[in-house]
Amino acid sequence: MSEQPLNPSTAAAPDDDAADTAPAGPTPTGSTATGSTAAGSTAAGSTAAGSTAAGSTAAGSTAADVAADEAAALRAASFERARRLRMEPRFPGGPAADPAGSHHERRIRSFQPRRSRVTTGQQDALERLWPKWGLDIDGQRVLDLADLFDGLPVVLEIGFGMGEATAQMAADDPGTGILAVDVHTPGQGNLLGLADKAGSTNVRVANGDAVILLREMLAPESLDGLRVYFPDPWPKARHHKRRLIQPEFLDLVAPVLRPGAVVHCATDWEPYAEQMLEVLTAHPRFENTAADGGYAPRPAFRPLTRFEGQGLDKGHVVHDLLFARV
């Protein structure tokens, strides 16, 4: 998400063809002094007029160049202000605006960071609890999950929205640590506040790109599960490449999962569910836990979320997929 300034309209180029349309006059045949003088005067007049026109054109070009330079400077300043806004942390000591920095490669991402209003309660939770339970995905270190979660088995959850379902699962299963990843600041603050209110100490909130977390910050076979609930379906065909569940993503996931760890996906978008089933079934490191090789019933531990309820009200069918790492 960035603030994109409007480009100024480009000035129309002068019509150079117009200057070439006047026919040339005939060459005078007379050689009298008077004729020569007249011709010379005319030539001098033409030269003077040409010089004046050239001077006017040069002055006009200079003014246009100055205006163009000023417009370019304004655009550059606008882009710089937008860049600084994206880079500035909204809450000192809280989640960073760009935790991995620009040293990581540019690639197609499955998420789109956005800024939205943070409530007073969410801000309070971020300021109080982020130093204790929050971490930035900077790609600069490997996490010690045993130390981070006091020895609990850890499940990674990618994309938790406002955190209601995550907080409920953490409260219902205090013996499992949940490393919850998202980039939405209000949701991060909301989850921290909900966990604190419930007295749950088994939640850690990670801010940033889950791909960098999987690739650079998790030790092999350090996770006991992965949860991806209702990821963005990117419904338009040209955006399907942005969907999270792809073969390349599973290649990153498999090494950091312990044997037997379960990947649990859920979606209410039928075409995406079909793609998930196809991709997971085809991957050699995962095996479907459903006996018929299809979708699984919703497990009791996955709460019915508000978002899911809205989808069901619209007639959407929710599919759960549970695949074990082999």
Side-chain angles (χ1 to χ4, degrees):
M1 179 196 67
S2 59
E3 298 176 10
Q4 198 77 338
L6 296 175
N7 290 327
S9 58
T10 305
D15 187 358
D16 294 334
D17 295 335
D20 298 330
T21 56
T27 303
T29 57
S31 58
T32 61
T34 305
S36 299
T37 302
S41 300
T42 302
S46 299
T47 302
S51 300
T52 303
S56 300
T57 302
S61 298
T62 302
D65 291 343
V66 170
D69 290 343
E70 290 177 349
L74 288 173
R75 288 199 302 273
S78 177
F79 280 120
E80 179 61 19
R81 283 194 299 272
R83 187 189 70 81
R84 289 181 178 275
L85 180 64
R86 291 195 302 271
M87 296 294 293
E88 290 174 357
R90 301 181 71 182
F91 307 100
D98 185 16
S102 58
H103 61 278
H104 285 285
E105 80 284 359
R106 295 178 63 85
R107 58 181 165 77
I108 296 171
R109 286 176 165 79
S110 62
F111 62 91
Q112 188 171 12
R114 62 194 188 281
R115 286 186 177 238
S116 57
R117 179 176 175 272
V118 175
T119 67
T120 302
Q122 293 161 0
Q123 178 176 347
D124 174 70
L126 287 167
E127 292 174 349
R128 288 189 302 107
L129 301 171
W130 186 262
K132 181 180 178 182
W133 289 342
L135 63 98
D136 284 316
I137 300 173
D138 55 15
Q140 301 298 314
R141 66 197 190 282
V142 176
L143 298 175
D144 184 344
L145 296 183
D147 180 66
L148 195 62
F149 286 91
D150 299 322
L152 296 176
V154 179
V155 171
L156 174 65
E157 182 178 0
I158 299 177
F160 54 80
M162 294 306 292
E164 295 98 335
T166 307
Q168 184 175 334
M169 289 186 291
D172 292 343
D173 184 13
T176 297
I178 300 177
L179 179 58
V181 180
D182 210 307
V183 294
H184 190 44
T185 310
Q188 293 167 349
N190 203 58
L191 175 54
L192 289 171
L194 291 172
D196 185 49
K197 184 177 180 180
S200 301
T201 60
N202 56 329
V203 176
R204 302 293 180 270
V205 178
N207 168 53
D209 189 343
V211 168
I212 294 175
L213 176 71
L214 289 164
R215 190 180 63 202
E216 302 176 30
M217 297 181 67
L218 294 176
E221 299 187 2
S222 58
L223 291 176
D224 287 84
L226 170 67
R227 297 168 181 169
V228 183
Y229 298 156
F230 304 98
D232 193 326
W234 295 102
K236 295 181 180 178
R238 69 176 183 271
H239 293 156
H240 286 180
K241 60 190 175 184
R242 294 184 176 273
R243 289 175 172 175
L244 182 63
I245 307 302
Q246 308 274 5
E248 298 80 6
F249 174 75
L250 296 179
D251 290 341
L252 290 176
V253 169
V256 300
L257 290 176
R258 293 192 176 97
V262 172
V263 173
H264 182 193
C265 301
T267 180
D268 67 334
W269 192 257
E270 187 82 19
Y272 196 8
E274 294 170 356
Q275 176 185 322
M276 289 178 175
L277 183 60
E278 178 182 350
V279 170
L280 282 161
T281 301
H283 201 284
R285 302 291 297 276
F286 296 97
E287 184 177 72
N288 199 337
T289 63
D292 62 356
Y295 303 112
R298 178 175 68 88
F301 66 80
R302 183 176 73 76
L304 184 68
T305 67
R306 179 177 55 185
F307 175 83
E308 183 178 359
Q310 292 172 349
L312 292 172
D313 290 341
K314 296 176 183 177
H316 295 185
V317 177
V318 176
H319 291 293
D320 284 79
L321 302 93
L322 287 88
F323 278 72
R325 195 275 218 188
V326 296

